[in-house]
Structures are given as structure tokens and as C-alpha cells.
């Protein structure tokens, strides 16, 4: 049985202290103790560890009223670099971050329809990762790790994509394939968890023990933050809210079930909502999800009745599905994330809030807020980079334990030996 | 932000060690360390605390091959008594347990239809609680506490029934009312959490970090065990799976929503499934849920086509709803609990397993088992008594902190001053 251990607590406290320093640099140990609820002694120990790792630095003193001057620390932005990789159905985004999680470089590769073999995808990732390291001019030895987000179900421990429905991948050893090109430590997970950890560290879930991050893209799912950390489930496949039944015997889903949430609120589902309301709407771009969602966004702004109707209908399904999360999980905050949420924005949010209020029980409804993600960039890249940061923090005192790529082939973006 | 603290860990470890001792008395510190994964030093400390509380006793030594004889400990069944109260829609069950959670006495009171005022319900609880103490001949001073399970949403900290849909209670100060009759420490929660904690301590969830206990009665819900403990949510209302939408715009529900899981798989929903299949079925007892469920159970055994059809139709809904839990939570085990599950038993379980397999994703499905609750008695009574046990364990080293009833009025079942 997996229980919380003292080591888990220490790691969680280390995360919390670094999160707080990133959020409010410079800061003192006293402020950190007040903000985190940890004792000053615990904070001092954790700050010492982060100083040893060169993740933070001493930056002087502030006067405290009548007392001794207090030492100030700040995140050491140049103390390392982190790479986040977002592998999606139609593109690969790669971003390189400093330790304050500022983006230093970006690269994107588009994937053509049908380009779905693992080797093809890995080639795009390697090219984009090489590009960001070269662009940023970062010394290879300073890259602490590469986090990779891939859709579907992931075995984190082995770095295997167990099932990616968009490409029908089964048990693809993605990290082994990537390690032939990339010699940094590699961390694999999926966009649900990447989005959730990004919100937990840098977004709307920060400071909340219980939060749900609803990922609205081509695929749909929910990252669950429970008890202050990610809930992964027993086989790291928790959060498949997109494949929960909302309309029994409803629309067929690519997972084999009928009436899944995703078939009504994923980008193709939204296109279907529009098609059912207005089959010949000029907003509909039959082979282009992105163009259709953009047209809907523009249409709502212009009060186009097709656009208003389709967004309202989408919100009707989405509100019922989110009410299910509110009633079941009882979170403090529900965050709408990913590109569909970003593009449909406030008008979608307002309709969703009304729809959730029609379906949810009063007590959990009153306890929860529904917000748009405040993260301005690709949350899956940011979250994937955060996994690399967490990996580096977790390895304190147990070096060699974190998953390091075997680096069988030296690539052009490998660190110097 | 609520994070795990060292104190939480110590409390959880104390629970784990006592669970293990109750499961396998007598046992040695060495066996406890092996079974729990805790260090021998930690186990020795926790065993010492439990000995000080007289919850366990030293019961001799066993030879260890070649080494020093090992001290054995066992649960001290007579070291205290616990009372569990299950307030349901039509009855109050009260059971008195020893510290090994053996039932020493039982009392039941039936509530007539319309008998729904808090004072009436409290009167039944007080009468039944007085009865079990008298029956068992337990010294009042040995009663460590009374756990109370009441349907609906509960504010644990204040002991208030925030919302009980069956009686349309809003913000009823139930523990204050009970404390006028009962002077033991009182602990309030709902049947979802009582059922889950009973499975976690004594049933099918023991040893599992992630489990879902599906409560099938008149009302329906799910107790969530996540990360080794109960998941309560931010306002202690997590688990309202019975009020998640399964059939958008489906049957009207007493919560105001339509198509809730409960309207298809709660006892009245099962009656409706039967009515829709066979409006004049002799199995249908229009005003008696219990009689109808009993008739269905007998009917399945006799291969009655109405009964087989109604159970299959119920399993179709229940399987889709449980698949939602499997996909979202990714548990190791799903436990079917409460009186409807107990009466329909194996035939329902088999149909449900098939239905879940039709709806759930392969990876979380493969990781989870679906079982009937192995607890032979009322799981809400057992779970409520377990809350009282947890309360006593949690109060170690912080006496006076646990919620103790104000005991404004001395009743006949109060402990001697
Ligand atoms: Zn699906
Ligand atoms: Zn309902």
C-alpha cells in the first residue's frame, strides 16, 4: 500500500518553498514560513538545500523592525534550464525555460495528417529541442531535464506511451526512442497532468489543495489536484473525464463508448454541435478544427446567432460534465485550460457557469469557483518543464535515482561528457 | 492551503498499525513493520502509544529462530467500547462494538413515514443508544465515542447536517441536539464516508491506496479512498456520484437535476426500471422499496424474466456510472455496498462487471477489480463507530482537542461524572 512517507512530505515541502520563492522573489525565510505554514527551522533547511543546488541565491538583507536584518533569497533564474515538450495531434511545441520558468526560446513543428509513426514524432521533438537549445545559447550542462507531454495514457516509470487514441499507439517506448536523440534526463506524462501541475505551480490552482483542471482541446480530460498534489490513480490514468458517459447511448466516441463528454465538448464535438444547429453555417470549416473554433470565437464577438447558439449548446454539455466533477470531487477551483478554452474565453466561461449552477448540488457549488487558465503560454509545455523541475527537486539526497535517459547515441543536443 | 503534515502522517501511521493489529492479533512489532512498511523504531513508538491507551495489550512472546523471543501484542477488545449510529430514511440502527469491532449489542428503531423532524430522529437515536449500553452492560466510562452517520451533506467540524434531501433538512445542528441526550464524544459524517472507512479498516479496501465504495440504497453515492485516506473535498461533500448526470435530460431527480445516476440505480430507480419493462409485474410493490428489491432477489434466483430483465437494465446504468468512476479516479478496487447491493448480490455483480467492461477504458479497467462488500453487518454503523475510534486515536497527545459534546443535560446514558 502506498502511503505518504516522511520523504514525500519533505519533497512536497521543497516544492512548496520553491513555488513560493518563484512567486515572490526576493523573499525572506520568515516570509516563506508565514506563507507556507512551515516552521522557520524547516524553511531554513529547505532553503539551504535549494541554495546548494544553485536553484536560488542569497540577494542581500532587509531590515526588520528592531530586529536583526533578514537574509533575502531569490530564484536563480540562470541556475539551470528546463525544456518542456508538448506533443499534440497536429504539432510539437518545445519551449526552453530558465529556473524562474520564463520562456527563453520556442520551437514548433507541424505534423502532417498521417504522420503518426513514433519515429516521425520523435524526429520532430529532437529537431525542436535542438533548436531551442541553440537559440537560447544555453550550455548543455545547465539543462536539468526535459519533460514530455504526450496525449493518452502513459506509464511514467518506464517512459512508455501505453495508449494514444489519436494515433492508435499501444505501448510505444517513447522515452527510449527519444533518448537516442536527447541525453538529458527525460520525464514523460500526459497533457492532463502537465496542465494540472502548471496550474498548481504557476496558475489558478496555486494554494489550493483540491482543484480540477479541465483540458479542452481536440481531446478532453481533467487533471486532478487532490490533497495538495496530483492524483494519478493506480496506473497513472486517472482524469479521463473526457471518456465519462454524459449521454447514455449518445454520440459514438473513438474510445468505443457512446455519449462520452469528449464527443460533445472536444473541438470535433463542438463542430458537431454547430453542424446540428446549422448544417450550412459559414462558420463551419469541415476539415479544420482550429479554423472552426476561431470562426466561432469571432462569431460570438459579432453576436452571430450560429456562433452564440453553438457555444451555448456546448456550454450546456460542458456545464453538466463540470457539475459532475464538482459533485464528485468537491474542488475549490475548476480551471478551464487548453486552446479551445483560450479561444472561446469569457463568453464560454459565462455560459458554463450558468449551466453548472443548473446541475450541481448547492453545497459543493458554493465551495467552488470556475475560472479560465491565467497561463498565457502553452500550459502543456510549462507543465512538462515543471515535471523536469520536480524531478530535479525530488532527486535531492538520492542522486542517480531519477530516471535518466540511457543516451545510447550522442546527439547534437547532448551535454558535454 | 491544507498540506499533509508530520502530524497527519503520524496519525495515519497510528491508524495503519492498529488496523493491522486488529486484522491479525496477536502479532509482533517485527511483523507489523513488515506488513506496514514502517521502520521497527516507528512501529515500536506507535505500539507504545496504543499500549498507553489500553487499546492493545502485551500477550506474551514468540520464539524467533535463533534470536531473542519477540513480544506479542493483541487488540484489547475490552479496552473500550464504540457506538455506531446509522440514521437512514426509514430506520435508525445503533450498534455497540468492542475495540476489535465485534458487535456486542444492537438496537433498531423504525421511523414512520412523515416522522422527519430532527427532534423525532434524535429521540430514536437516544433511545437506541441507551438500549445498546444497557444490553451490553458496558460501564459508561468505557465508551470512547459515538459515531453518527446521517444521509446528505454534513459539516463535520460543527456537527451540522447541512442538507439532508430525504427530509429536506437544512443546517440542522444534529450533534448539539444529540448532546442533550448523549454525553460521549460525538462524531458526525454521512453514509458514503462511513461505508468507505468501514471498507478501508475492515473490508475490501484494506491495503488499497485508491478505492471507491459505491453505496447502493435508497440514495446512492460513492465514498472515495484516495492516497490511502478518505477524500472529503473542500466542504466535506465529495462523493456525490449519485447526483452526477448519466443521461442528460433524463429522469427528474429530487436534487433538481435530470438524469442523475441515483434515478436509475437507487431503490426507487430500480423500481422504475422494473415498471418500464413490465408495468404490472407481480414483483412490483408500489409503496415498498424493500419488498420490491427482495422480490427481485428472489425472482433472479428463480430465473423470473421480469427480475432478470430489471437487474440487467439496472446493471446497464450502474455499469456506465461505475465506468465513469474507473476512468476518472483509476482505483484499484470498486466495492458495491449497502442493502441493495447486499440483496441483489452476485447476479447484479456479474452483470455490472460486463457492463463496466463495455464502457471503461482498457488501462484503468485492467487495473481495477469490482467486488461486493464483505462486511456482514450494517457498514454505516461499523464505519460510524470507526470514526469514533479514529477520533480517539487522533486525540493522542492532543487531549481536549477532539470534539466533545457539551453535555448540557445529563441523560441516563451519560458516563458517571
Ligand atoms: Zn470516449
Ligand atoms: Zn440528483
Amino acid at each position: 500500500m502506498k502511503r505518504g512517507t516522511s520523504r514525500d512530505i519533505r519533497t512536497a515541502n521543497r516544492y512548496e518553498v520553491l513555488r513560493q520563492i518563484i512567486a515572490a522573489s526576493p523573499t525572506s525565510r520568515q516570509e516563506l514560513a508565514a506563507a507556507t505554514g512551515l516552521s522557520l527551522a524547516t524553511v531554513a533547511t529547505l532553503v539551504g538545500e535549494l541554495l546548494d543546488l544553485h536553484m536560488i541565491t542569497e540577494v542581500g538583507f532587509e531590515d526588520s523592525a528592531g530586529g536583526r536584518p533578514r537574509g533575502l533569497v531569490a530564484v536563480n533564474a540562470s541556475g539551470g534550464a528546463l525544456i518542456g515538450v508538448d506533443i499534440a495531434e497536429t504539432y510539437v511545441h518545445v519551449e526552453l525555460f530558465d529556473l524562474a520558468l520564463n520562456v527563453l526560446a520556442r520551437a514548433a513543428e507541424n505534423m502532417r495528417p498521417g504522420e503518426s509513426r513514433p519515429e516521425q514524432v520523435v524526429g520532430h521533438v529532437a529537431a525542436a529541442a535542438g533548436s531551442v537549445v541553440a537559440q537560447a545559447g544555453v550550455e548543455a550542462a545547465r539543462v536539468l531535464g526535459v519533460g514530455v507531454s504526450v496525449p493518452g495514457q502513459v506509464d511514467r516509470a518506464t517512459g512508455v506511451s501505453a495508449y494514444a487514441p489519436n494515433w492508435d499507439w499501444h505501448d510505444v517506448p517513447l522515452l527510449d526512442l527519444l533518448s537516442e536523440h536527447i541525453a538529458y534526463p527525460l520525464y514523460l506524462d500526459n497533457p492532463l497532468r502537465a496542465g494540472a501541475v502548471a496550474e498548481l505551480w504557476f496558475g489558478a490552482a496555486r494554494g489550493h489543495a483540491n482543484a480540477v483542471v479541465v483540458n479542452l482541446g481536440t481531446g478532453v480530460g481533467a487533471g486532478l489536484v487532490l490533497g495538495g498534489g496530483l492524483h494519478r490513480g493506480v496506473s497513472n490514468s486517472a482524469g479521463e473525464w473526457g471518456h465519462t458517459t454524459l449521454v447514455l447511448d449518445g454520440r459514438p466516441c473513438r474510445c468505443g463508448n457512446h455519449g462520452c463528454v469528449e464527443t460533445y465538448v472536444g473541438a470535433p464535438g463542438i463542430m458537431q454541435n454547430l453542424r446540428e444547429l446549422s448544417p450550412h453555417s459559414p462558420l463551419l470549416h469541415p476539415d479544420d478544427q482550429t479554423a472552426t473554433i476561431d470562426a466561432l470565437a469571432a462569431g460570438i464577438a459579432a453576436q452571430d446567432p450560429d456562433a452564440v447558439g453553438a457555444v451555448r449548446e456546448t456550454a450546456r454539455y460542458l456545464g453538466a460534465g463540470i457539475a459532475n466533477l464538482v459533485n464528485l470531487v468537491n474542488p475549490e477551483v475548476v480551471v478551464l485550460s487548453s486552446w479551445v478554452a483560450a479561444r472561446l474565453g469569457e463568453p464560454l466561461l459565462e455560459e458554463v457557469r450558468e449551466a453548472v449552477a443548473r446541475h450541481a448540488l448547492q453545497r459543493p457549488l458554493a465551495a467552488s469557483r470556475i475560472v479560465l487558465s491565467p497561463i498565457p503560454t502553452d500550459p502543456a509545455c510549462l507543465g512538462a518543464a515543471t515535471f523536469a523541475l520536480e524531478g530535479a527537486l525530488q532527486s535531492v539526497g538520492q542522486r542517480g535515482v531519477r530516471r535518466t535517459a540511457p543516451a545510447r547515441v550522442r546527439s547534437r543536443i547532448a551535454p558535454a561528457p
Side-chain angles (χ1 to χ4, degrees), chain A:
Chain A
M1 175 165 176
K2 189 185 168 295
R3 280 172 297 105
T5 63
S6 303
R7 160 161 292 169
D8 294 340
I9 294 279
R10 267 203 307 279
T11 299
N13 287 343
R14 208 178 285 130
Y15 291 177
E16 180 93 3
V17 166
L18 183 58
R19 266 202 284 271
Q20 191 60 34
I21 295 172
I22 291 174
S25 281
T27 184
S28 64
R29 290 164 184 78
Q30 289 78 3
E31 282 176 345
L32 289 169
T36 60
L38 297 168
S39 73
L40 191 55
T42 300
V43 167
T45 302
L46 298 171
V47 164
E49 291 173 356
L50 294 170
L51 285 166
D52 289 347
L53 291 168
H54 305 291
M55 287 184 167
I56 63 174
T57 51
E58 308 263 15
V59 293
F61 294 88
E62 69 172 2
D63 286 334
S64 68
R68 287 197 308 175
R70 294 170 165 182
L72 293 173
V73 294
V75 64
N76 179 20
S78 60
L82 302 159
I83 296 176
V85 177
D86 174 16
I87 302 175
E89 208 155 330
T90 56
Y91 60 80
V92 169
H93 285 172
V94 177
E95 297 184 348
L96 187 144
F97 299 85
D98 66 19
L99 279 193
L101 277 296
N102 301 306
V103 179
L104 301 185
R106 286 202 171 89
E109 303 255 324
N110 288 316
M111 283 187 296
R112 287 181 300 276
E115 212 179 359
S116 68
R117 281 192 300 114
E119 294 73 16
Q120 295 172 313
V121 172
V122 164
H124 285 299
V125 172
S131 166
V132 294
V133 173
Q135 280 177 59
V138 168
E139 232 183 291
R142 302 213 66 80
V143 177
L144 298 179
V146 180
V148 179
S149 162
V150 70
Q153 290 164 17
V154 161
D155 191 319
R156 283 199 318 144
T158 59
V160 167
S161 165
Y163 175 54
N166 40 331
W167 300 309
D168 203 32
W169 284 3
H170 293 267
D171 295 319
V172 170
L174 197 60
L175 284 203
D176 278 356
L177 295 172
L178 280 168
S179 71
E180 295 180 8
H181 303 269
I182 297 174
Y184 310 118
L186 288 158
Y187 303 89
L188 189 69
D189 216 314
N190 77 12
L192 302 184
R193 268 169 279 283
V197 83
E199 296 297 335
L200 183 60
W201 275 79
F202 309 106
R206 189 155 64 188
H208 294 293
N210 295 290
V212 176
V213 181
V214 168
N215 194 293
L216 294 176
T218 305
V220 161
L224 305 177
V225 174
L226 302 177
L230 281 188
H231 174 69
R232 299 181 176 281
V234 62
S235 59
N236 196 40
S237 56
E240 291 290 353
W241 169 74
H243 301 286
T244 59
T245 302
L246 182 64
V247 183
L248 195 70
D249 303 324
R251 293 181 185 166
C253 182
R254 55 183 172 175
C255 78
N257 189 24
H258 283 74
C260 287
V261 168
E262 182 173 294
T263 64
Y264 298 92
V265 307
I270 296 173
M271 289 173 70
Q272 182 64 17
N273 298 341
L274 174 58
R275 197 177 287 118
E276 289 182 0
L277 279 173
S278 174
H280 306 293
S281 173
L283 304 176
L284 200 58
H285 297 66
D287 297 319
D288 194 335
Q289 297 172 23
T290 317
T292 305
I293 299 296
D294 282 342
L296 280 174
I300 311 165
Q303 297 288 315
D304 176 287
D306 285 358
V308 170
V311 168
R312 184 160 296 160
E313 183 70 358
T314 299
R316 192 170 74 87
Y317 294 113
L318 187 53
I322 289 176
N324 286 356
L325 292 168
V326 167
N327 284 357
L328 189 65
V329 175
N330 188 202
E332 293 165 84
V333 62
V334 177
V335 187
L336 304 187
S337 174
S338 197
W339 66 272
V340 170
R343 289 176 201 211
L344 298 180
E346 290 290 340
L348 178 68
L349 178 65
E350 280 173 34
E351 294 280 351
V352 164
R353 283 179 175 150
E354 284 178 31
V356 172
R358 289 197 299 273
H359 292 280
L361 296 172
Q362 198 274 329
R363 186 174 168 89
L365 179 68
S368 70
R369 293 183 312 118
I370 306 174
V371 301
L372 292 172
S373 170
I375 294 174
T377 61
D378 181 332
C381 279
L382 179 60
T386 307
F387 284 124
L389 178 60
E390 289 192 347
L393 285 175
Q394 195 165 17
S395 66
V396 177
Q398 49 167 328
R399 297 216 167 270
V401 172
R402 69 181 168 182
R403 193 192 189 292
T404 306
R408 286 184 291 233
V409 177
R410 285 277 157 218
S411 80
R412 63 197 161 107
I413 61 161

